[in-house]
Amino acid sequence: MSTPAARAEVLRAQLDEHNHRYYVLDDPSISDAEYDRLFAELQAIETAHPELLRPDSPTQRVGGAPLREFAEVRHRLPMQSLRKCNDEDELRDFDRRVCETLAISEAGYTGEPKLDGLAVSLIYEQGRLIRGATRGDGETGEDITENLRTIRSIPLQLRGAVPPLLEVRGEVYLPWDGFRRMVEEATARGEKVPVNPRNAAAGSLRQLDPRITAQRPLAFTAYAVGYSEGWQAPRLHSEALEQLRVWGFPVSRLVERLVGVEGCLRYFEKIGARRAQLGFDIDGVVFKLDDLAGREELGSVTREPRWACAYKFAAEEAETLLEKVEFQVGRTGALTPVARLKPVFVGGATVSNATLHNMDEVERKDVRVGDTVIVRRAGDVIPEVLGVRLPDEAARLAHEARPRIELVPACPVCGGKVERVEGEVIARCTNGLSCRAQLHGALIHFVGRKAMDIEGLGEKLLAQLIDTGRVASAADIYTLTVEELAGLERMGEKSAANVVEAIARSKQSSFQRFLFALGCPQIGETTARDLARHFGSLEALYAAAAADAPTEHDAALKDKDRFPLLRAVPDVGPTVAAHAVHFFTEPRNRAVIAALVAAGIEWPAPKAAAQGVLTGKTLVITGSLPGGVSREQATALIEAQGGKVSGSVSKNTDFVLAGEAAGSKLAKAEKLGVPVLDWAALQRLLEPAA
Ligand code: IVH
């Protein structure tokens, strides 16, 4: 008779094996009843001997205790996105660039389905799942380990020989049968029905209660190895995918090795033809350079690697009746004509509103109320009206008899004057934050997850606070009290206290979040980050905006000579600079910012750039470095010594760090006479002088 510990061990191994056969290989070898029996036996042992319970036990997939919030996780390597190719020409451009950079005549790629779900990162230590996170903004995601543990096709324990540290990346998605089940259940319970599998998967993963996630039939497919330690990566990505299978991960059976752009085009056709029979949503295919050393050579541009691309299927279209056109006012005052449609099912969801973008588009398409229009919806993109459908002369005559759609003279929300600046396509309400719609939009943006992240202060609550006159600017949020909030509709003592607590918590922020939250037109998350990094403080940003503020004599300047201080920020061009200068010199905005800072919003002071033997030097890395040293690790080392790493070689490059199989960058360095170091030479340079 074995001990309970030994028996539990055996049962766990058997259940893992059957799970793997069922969810990964799709080849079960025992009946469901037999599986349930083994499962119940393990559960009984773990209940009687709680000390034997481990987080990676197969019984733990039912979901543990609910969380209050998700913790943030910084990805060791950024989770990048994919460059999109919309047609054959763009795909050929992509391939040409790959071949030219690598100086080869034909490239080998993998073709993979582009699964329509959510990217996740899974971290394994000594083969055990210890953390799982969402992609987030690519640099930081949310810790959703407990939810991911409930997904049966994610191994909790890897098989065979594994490296001490391994990150695996892949997609979590909801297959169609699971989605149908969710829709049926939600309908039966009278709950909100999810619009498409992707949204349903996203909602399921972001549940604070893992027991709910456990009931959702989510699936996982691995598509890459991320960070690793103690693992000698193979030469090819396709070999890495094979290795992932050996470790126990589900890898798509649709993955193929392809030769050249012609191979890619054939693959695209083939997968497109099978799309309806797959049983899950894909929105295109992904092509990735198979050769891993070549990827290093190609590098990345603005979060997109040059070695991969997504070739998307054409968006779906449908016809329906245009019932009316209304104007929506956004947070910057922009008036967007919105088509109210007879509901129609397209691109995986029922659509009853679609954007008409702006008045130029309305005129160009000449859609009129009562027309039959063509609507397009692709993935998560806002549905749009493409144009009118006039199949015959009668339809054309009816169309001609209807009045054209005109821009409203006054803001539909506040009655303010609507202006369309010469040369601009966008019409705006000129009332600024005195317009309720603009204030509401600005505040929704301000409290958003990527901005000040004030949970519980939702659209409806903000609307009440605006309508009662209690909140007239973002700064007023910081004066709200529990008593005041508790008195509002649908708010109890408890939720009011939670909101006030969330407001207080938001005061510990970061400069980049704060800049983004302010909602200056054209300043999105990335630009906010770049501004924060470049200027480091509000004072420095104000000084630059003041110095760059246009004077009369500027009118004579060429575009490229305007706003020199703001344009010194990476990726900031004349439009962004003009908006930033206007926004940060505007007295009303300055007053709100001052009030926010006075309310206690603060962020850590910027870290001074490291100083060291490489201070002021720019390096370029090329080829693969010895001992599996990644490019990110080498970059960190160089930056710690005050150096900068750049992507391309120019006459301003001080050194090129060259590894194995270095290609065109090394050639260029030699041509320009830039000194070349190998890894050992860099090490010697960094050694403290004896
Ligand atoms: S590779 C740099 N492979 O597409 C490499 N991504 O736009 C980025 N996706 O966030 C990821 N199927 O959610 C890769 N076979 C596949 C994919 C895939 C779907 C998604 C993923 C990612 C997005 C990139």
Side-chain angles (χ1 to χ4, degrees):
M1 185 63 198
S2 66
T3 62
R7 181 64 187 152
E9 193 65 37
V10 169
L11 286 168
R12 273 197 290 262
Q14 287 182 343
L15 286 164
D16 273 345
E17 174 65 24
H18 292 308
N19 245 325
H20 182 249
R21 294 195 70 109
Y22 188 92
Y23 288 103
V24 178
L25 305 180
D26 201 9
D27 178 26
S29 62
I30 58 170
S31 69
D32 289 4
E34 179 67 0
Y35 181 90
D36 292 345
R37 202 187 58 69
L38 295 171
F39 192 90
E41 188 186 347
L42 178 59
Q43 242 176 351
I45 298 179
E46 287 172 342
T47 313
H49 305 275
E51 73 282 2
L52 297 177
L53 194 58
R54 287 210 316 251
D56 54 356
S57 168
T59 58
Q60 297 309 293
R61 296 199 188 258
V62 290
L67 302 172
R68 285 198 50 220
E69 61 177 358
F70 298 118
E72 280 199 349
V73 181
R74 243 193 116 70
H75 301 301
R76 296 225 195 186
L77 299 178
M79 291 183 78
Q80 295 179 304
S81 46
L82 291 167
R83 148 188 182 155
K84 285 164 198 68
C85 291
N86 295 310
D87 54 34
E88 187 178 325
D89 284 347
E90 288 180 19
L91 184 69
R92 288 186 185 277
D93 285 345
F94 159 77
D95 172 65
R96 192 170 312 119
R97 161 140 215 185
V98 167
C99 292
E100 274 172 16
T101 311
L102 300 179
I104 51 179
S105 57
E106 199 167 54
Y109 296 100
T110 59
E112 307 176 15
K114 187 168 187 316
L115 302 159
D116 200 8
L118 292 101
V120 298
S121 146
L122 304 171
I123 311 271
Y124 290 83
E125 256 174 38
Q126 313 296 348
R128 285 202 180 160
L129 177 67
I130 58 138
R131 184 168 317 109
T134 60
R135 172 173 184 273
D137 62 5
E139 302 208 356
T140 359
E142 287 181 319
D143 185 336
I144 52 163
T145 314
E146 295 315 312
N147 291 346
L148 291 171
R149 272 190 208 291
T150 68
I151 300 176
R152 304 294 195 276
S153 45
I154 293 183
L156 300 175
Q157 169 77 54
L158 303 186
R159 307 157 72 86
V162 287
L165 185 64
L166 177 73
E167 183 200 4
V168 172
R169 291 176 174 180
E171 197 87 348
V172 169
Y173 59 99
L174 192 62
W176 291 342
D177 53 2
F179 177 67
R180 275 194 291 269
R181 211 159 87 206
M182 261 184 84
V183 170
E184 279 163 22
E185 286 171 7
T187 314
R189 283 198 229 105
E191 290 169 0
K192 204 170 154 223
V193 175
V195 291
N196 59 33
R198 187 180 185 283
N199 287 9
S204 304
L205 266 192
R206 291 207 72 252
Q207 283 291 335
L208 287 166
D209 187 347
R211 286 168 302 196
I212 298 181
T213 314
Q215 291 157 19
R216 306 280 165 84
L218 296 168
F220 172 77
T221 292
Y223 54 62
V225 175
Y227 183 81
S228 70
E229 278 174 19
W231 182 56
Q232 184 56 56
R235 206 175 61 76
L236 300 177
H237 169 63
S238 50
E239 292 166 346
L241 291 178
E242 261 326 302
Q243 177 63 65
L244 283 171
R245 280 206 177 99
V246 173
W247 280 326
F249 291 97
V251 173
S252 173
R253 279 184 244 276
L254 301 170
V255 175
E256 278 183 39
R257 286 175 62 177
L258 309 169
V259 178
V261 71
E262 303 304 332
C264 292
L265 287 166
R266 275 195 299 274
Y267 182 78
F268 180 72
E269 291 299 323
K270 176 168 146 185
I271 299 295
R274 291 178 57 180
R275 192 178 173 195
Q277 281 90 51
L278 295 178
F280 49 85
D281 274 349
I282 64 174
D283 54 350
V285 298
V286 183
F287 298 118
K288 301 177 186 167
L289 184 71
D290 205 9
D291 177 43
L292 297 177
R295 290 185 177 188
E296 295 271 303
E297 196 61 37
L298 282 152
S300 305
V301 258
T302 57
R303 298 188 186 201
E304 293 176 0
R306 289 203 191 89
W307 45 259
C309 75
Y311 194 4
K312 296 242 211 165
F313 298 129
E316 268 185 58
E317 297 175 7
E319 283 173 24
T320 190
L321 174 72
L322 176 60
E323 292 180 334
K324 66 180 170 196
V325 172
E326 289 177 339
F327 288 85
Q328 243 167 28
V329 186
R331 69 180 165 88
T332 60
L335 259 60
T336 307
V338 179
R340 307 293 180 202
L341 306 164
K342 179 162 171 241
V344 59
F345 191 78
V346 52
T350 302
V351 168
S352 45
N353 302 303
T355 182
L356 281 159
H357 300 290
N358 55 55
M359 287 314 291
D360 275 10
E361 285 295 292
V362 170
E363 276 154 40
R364 192 176 65 76
K365 291 168 187 162
D366 189 20
V367 291
R368 304 185 190 188
V369 172
D371 284 347
T372 296
V373 294
I374 303 161
V375 188
R376 174 162 76 183
R377 181 177 177 283
D380 247 13
V381 187
I382 303 170
E384 61 171 337
V385 172
L386 292 183
V388 199
R389 185 155 142 69
L390 301 172
D392 49 33
E393 189 56 17
R396 220 185 51 74
L397 287 174
H399 166 83
E400 291 298 338
R402 298 177 181 127
R404 284 180 184 273
I405 291 161
E406 306 278 356
L407 177 65
V408 285
C411 170
V413 176
C414 72
K417 194 164 153 247
V418 168
E419 230 172 48
R420 199 169 157 185
V421 177
E422 265 297 312
E424 274 207 20
V425 286
I426 294 172
R428 289 177 202 273
C429 160
T430 52
N431 251 349
L433 293 182
S434 319
C435 168
R436 188 189 169 283
Q438 292 188 53
L439 179 60
H440 193 214
L443 294 181
I444 291 170
H445 173 79
F446 183 82
V447 302
R449 210 151 60 82
K450 292 177 171 173
M452 299 311 285
D453 193 16
I454 305 180
E455 214 174 314
L457 195 51
E459 295 188 17
K460 297 216 173 94
L461 196 52
L462 286 170
Q464 285 189 67
L465 290 165
I466 292 170
D467 292 342
T468 55
R470 178 59 185 82
V471 168
S473 89
D476 293 336
I477 289 175
Y478 290 87
T479 64
L480 292 169
T481 63
V482 177
E483 296 73 55
E484 279 176 307
L485 287 174
L488 297 171
E489 262 173 58
R490 274 190 298 254
M491 284 294 275
E493 231 1 86
K494 181 88 186 6
S495 27
N498 285 344
V499 171
V500 170
E501 201 188 299
I503 294 173
R505 245 195 334 254
S506 77
K507 291 182 188 172
Q508 301 305 316
S509 190
S510 70
F511 190 28
Q512 83 178 59
R513 266 180 187 275
F514 182 69
L515 286 181
F516 174 64
L518 294 174
C520 170
Q522 300 280 337
I523 299 190
E525 245 184 301
T526 312
T527 309
R529 185 196 61 201
D530 293 343
L531 289 171
R533 279 194 190 153
H534 185 87
F535 292 111
S537 72
L538 206 48
E539 293 70 29
L541 173 60
Y542 277 178
D548 274 357
T551 59
E552 264 147 51
H553 111 118
D554 275 11
L557 286 180
K558 293 222 175 62
D559 250 6
K560 71 172 186 31
D561 298 321
R562 304 180 70 195
F563 316 117
L565 296 180
L566 274 141
R567 295 193 51 195
V569 181
D571 295 329
V572 169
T575 316
V576 176
H579 277 288
V581 165
H582 180 259
F583 189 90
F584 290 105
T585 50
E586 218 266 319
R588 206 195 127 102
N589 293 337
R590 299 271 288 241
V592 173
I593 294 172
L596 288 168
V597 173
I601 295 181
E602 55 182 10
W603 49 84
K607 275 191 255 127
Q611 295 284 319
V613 290
L614 296 175
T615 299
K617 303 281 185 232
T618 302
L619 283 84
V620 171
I621 310 178
T622 176
S624 44
L625 299 171
V629 175
S630 74
R631 201 156 282 215
E632 284 73 15
Q633 288 166 321
T635 304
L637 187 77
I638 291 165
E639 286 175 351
Q641 290 295 327
K644 273 210 309 220
V645 174
S646 156
S648 55
V649 180
S650 74
K651 57 183 194 319
N652 298 325
T653 311
D654 292 292
F655 299 107
V656 165
L657 172 61
E660 195 74 18
S664 61
K665 289 182 192 172
L666 180 59
K668 184 148 185 212
E670 282 162 356
K671 206 171 109 201
L672 293 173
V674 173
V676 177
L677 298 176
D678 64 10
W679 181 244
L682 179 75
Q683 299 292 313
R684 283 195 296 278
L685 198 67
L686 300 186
E687 266 165 32

